[in-house]
Amino acid sequence: MDTLHKAVRLALTEVADPGKAPTMQAYMKSDMPFLGVQAAPRRTALRRVFAEQPIENAPEWRRTVLSLWRDAEYREERYAAIELTGFRLYREFQTLQALPMYEEMIVTGAWWDYVDELAVHRVGGLLASFPDTMRPLMLKWARDGDLWKRRTAILCQNRFKSATDTGLLYACIEPNLSDNDFFTRKAIGWALREYAKTDPQATVRYVDHMGISGLSRREALKNLPAG
């Protein structure tokens, strides 16, 4: 365990409530145990640790993130790895060279609490910055055999609002419309619900035109008036 990882574990342990750990683990259906750290104290503790131990360059940052991720013994340590990817000091490190790191975290994390943050806030950021490279990659991921890469492709524009590339959004959704998996259907509905905040009429037309029903439809239209 490297110095930063030791500092992360110590900081998390200091704010942990071990009595909450079993409930947190059960809720997340996690094989990896929890320390019992709620989100707000976790983020506060990690910001302090990350600020006290800055990383000098992008390759070292990527190595540190993956070391923390791979060597984690508690789920909060993997949350820490994700938060380290988004820490303010490392915004300039958000380049295409970070993509293999995110891909590994998505595929090996393979659960919504990890993947959704990475999809919306990290992969989405790369798409916004490097659309010529990321757009065809997201189209490929949308048809990948890995569920969580498909979910990432569907969700990666969730914060784009009026900048949403609807062609890409629909092209990532449509190969997955026949998928009965809960997490796929939920992702389709969530992505459409977010775009509905920008263009509700277009979202309703798309849902009706594509014959989207069930869970995805309910999620997509849940904040829109019935009619």
Side-chain angles (χ1 to χ4, degrees):
M1 197 188 306
D2 62 27
T3 302
L4 180 60
H5 193 164
K6 289 178 181 177
V8 163
R9 182 172 294 180
L10 177 61
L12 292 173
T13 301
E14 288 174 345
V15 295
D17 181 349
K20 294 181 178 178
T23 301
M24 295 170 72
Q25 183 174 356
Y27 171 76
M28 203 53 66
K29 299 180 173 66
S30 173
D31 292 331
M32 185 178 289
F34 278 78
L35 285 164
V37 187
Q38 299 294 307
R42 184 187 76 230
R43 294 189 182 113
T44 299
L46 291 173
R47 281 196 297 268
R48 175 180 56 78
V49 171
F50 296 159
E52 290 173 351
Q53 300 199 35
I55 298 169
E56 293 184 359
N57 56 65
E60 182 185 353
W61 168 72
R62 293 192 297 270
R63 286 193 297 271
T64 302
V65 169
L66 286 177
S67 175
L68 185 55
W69 179 265
R70 293 166 179 167
D71 296 340
E73 295 181 11
Y74 298 94
R75 203 167 187 93
E76 290 96 335
E77 292 172 346
R78 282 197 157 181
Y79 295 158
I82 293 173
E83 292 193 33
L84 182 58
T85 67
F87 190 58
R88 57 181 175 77
L89 295 180
Y90 310 125
R91 289 172 186 159
E92 66 183 51
F93 298 167
Q94 300 295 334
T95 69
L96 293 173
Q97 290 179 306
L99 186 59
M101 174 180 70
Y102 293 139
E103 183 175 3
E104 176 180 332
M105 295 167 78
I106 288 164
V107 172
T108 60
W111 203 243
W112 64 267
D113 58 331
Y114 298 142
V115 172
D116 292 359
E117 177 75 12
L118 293 166
V120 175
H121 297 281
R122 305 295 182 267
V123 175
L126 293 180
L127 175 61
S129 298
F130 308 100
D132 291 345
T133 299
M134 291 297 295
R135 191 179 195 279
L137 183 63
M138 291 301 97
L139 292 171
K140 183 178 179 181
W141 279 24
R143 297 177 179 271
D144 196 272
D146 185 87
L147 160 66
W148 301 101
K149 289 172 75 171
R150 297 197 305 274
R151 184 173 168 100
T152 296
I154 293 166
L155 296 178
C156 64
Q157 295 191 81
N158 267 24
R159 291 170 59 89
F160 281 29
K161 299 181 180 179
S162 61
T164 300
D165 178 345
T166 54
L168 175 60
L169 174 62
Y170 300 154
C172 289
I173 287 173
E174 286 161 22
N176 294 283
L177 285 174
S178 62
D179 189 343
N180 291 324
D181 184 88
F182 171 84
F183 290 104
T184 302
R185 292 194 165 191
K186 191 82 169 180
I188 290 169
W190 182 19
L192 291 171
R193 185 172 78 245
E194 288 303 309
Y195 186 60
K197 296 174 182 178
T198 295
D199 194 336
Q201 291 80 15
T203 304
V204 172
R205 287 195 301 269
Y206 181 75
V207 168
D208 289 342
H209 175 71
M210 296 305 297
I212 296 174
S213 59
L215 174 61
S216 295
R217 182 184 182 91
R218 290 193 298 275
E219 287 292 319
L221 305 181
K222 71 186 300 183
N223 294 329
L224 300 181

